[in-house]
Amino acid sequence: MKKLIIANWKCNPETFKESVKILESLKKALSTNNKTIICPPNIFLRELISQYGDDFLFGAQNCYSEQKGAYTGEISPNMLTNSGVKYVILGHSERRSIFKEGDKEINMKIKKVLEETKLIPILCIGENRGERENSQTHEVIYRQLNECLKGVSAEQAKKIIVAYEPLWAIGTGIHADEEQIVDAKIHISSILCDIYAKEIVSKINIIYGGSVNSNSIEMIVNKCLMDGVLVGGASLDPVEFSKISAC
Ligand code: PGA
């Protein structure tokens, strides 16, 4: 089955020229049957889609929970789809911790996206270091999934990608180990099975993110059987990212 290899460029690079350079190198280096999805900063999205829309799929790193109106600084789900964007990351831990987004807000965004657009939401969940050390991982995942998916129908849920991204693994160079990833995957599946029927849950992709690189990809997709990865830092390096995509 095709894996989802998602690049989260975050607030990088600083110029459009540099973003073209990354995609040019990636295009040359990439040899994969997997689905490669690039999530650049919003300002580059439209132009990159017009230049590379045949080579890659594109996603946004966030969106707002309303379609239009007096919401200074926000980008709506319709604006993204009207620009050719296919995916949107929602509830990334940096949105949660730096910009204080809560589960309720993330739930509103997910519902808007699913009710009114064809965008595929990539819902990020995961515990921080303190929560892991206090054995609260399961509790945190349970709360985040239940709150973020409140009011999402089975038909809508089928489209969602759930990204397990433990905060302590993001940008630290230390990825979760096999046991931790498998445990999270089983826990996520069982929570989803409490909410939706088994045949719906079997369609929901569950991926991993947090210091993914070419050394850990094999373990994540082949041993832990994750449906893909969300890659931050390593996605800005075309050689490294193409090795990850080749899994
Ligand atoms: P990282 O980021 O790969 O740099 O750890 C992952 C993410 O934040 O999605």
Side-chain angles (χ1 to χ4, degrees), residues 8 10 92 94 165 169-171 210-212 230-233:
N8 176 12
K10 308 193 180 185
H92 188 276
E94 283 145 23
E165 293 213 304
I170 295 178
S211 294
V212 175
L230 182 50
V231 188

Side-chain angles (χ1 to χ4, degrees), residues 111-202:
K111 283 200 294 193
K112 197 65 163 185
V113 160
L114 290 167
E115 278 161 16
E116 298 184 16
T117 74
K118 289 197 159 61
L119 281 170
I120 298 178
I122 303 160
L123 167 63
C124 299
I125 55 168
E127 81 287 0
N128 63 32
R129 187 178 300 281
E131 289 161 344
R132 160 117 350 226
E133 284 166 2
N134 289 326
S135 307
Q136 291 171 310
T137 301
H138 281 198
E139 194 184 307
V140 171
I141 293 177
Y142 178 88
R143 192 197 64 233
Q144 290 177 336
L145 273 181
N146 276 288
E147 293 294 317
C148 294
L149 296 177
K150 225 177 238 171
V152 172
S153 72
E155 209 42 48
Q156 293 169 335
K158 279 197 280 197
K159 284 174 64 179
I160 296 174
I161 298 167
V162 177
Y164 170 59
E165 293 213 304
L167 271 70
W168 49 269
I170 295 178
T172 57
I174 302 163
H175 57 78
D177 64 25
E178 192 178 330
E179 197 181 320
Q180 291 165 329
I181 297 175
V182 171
D183 176 71
K185 190 185 174 184
I186 293 170
H187 188 55
I188 290 168
S189 300
S190 85
I191 295 165
L192 291 174
C193 282
D194 285 345
I195 314 176
Y196 305 108
K198 263 208 180 100
E199 55 275 20
I200 300 291
V201 177
S202 67

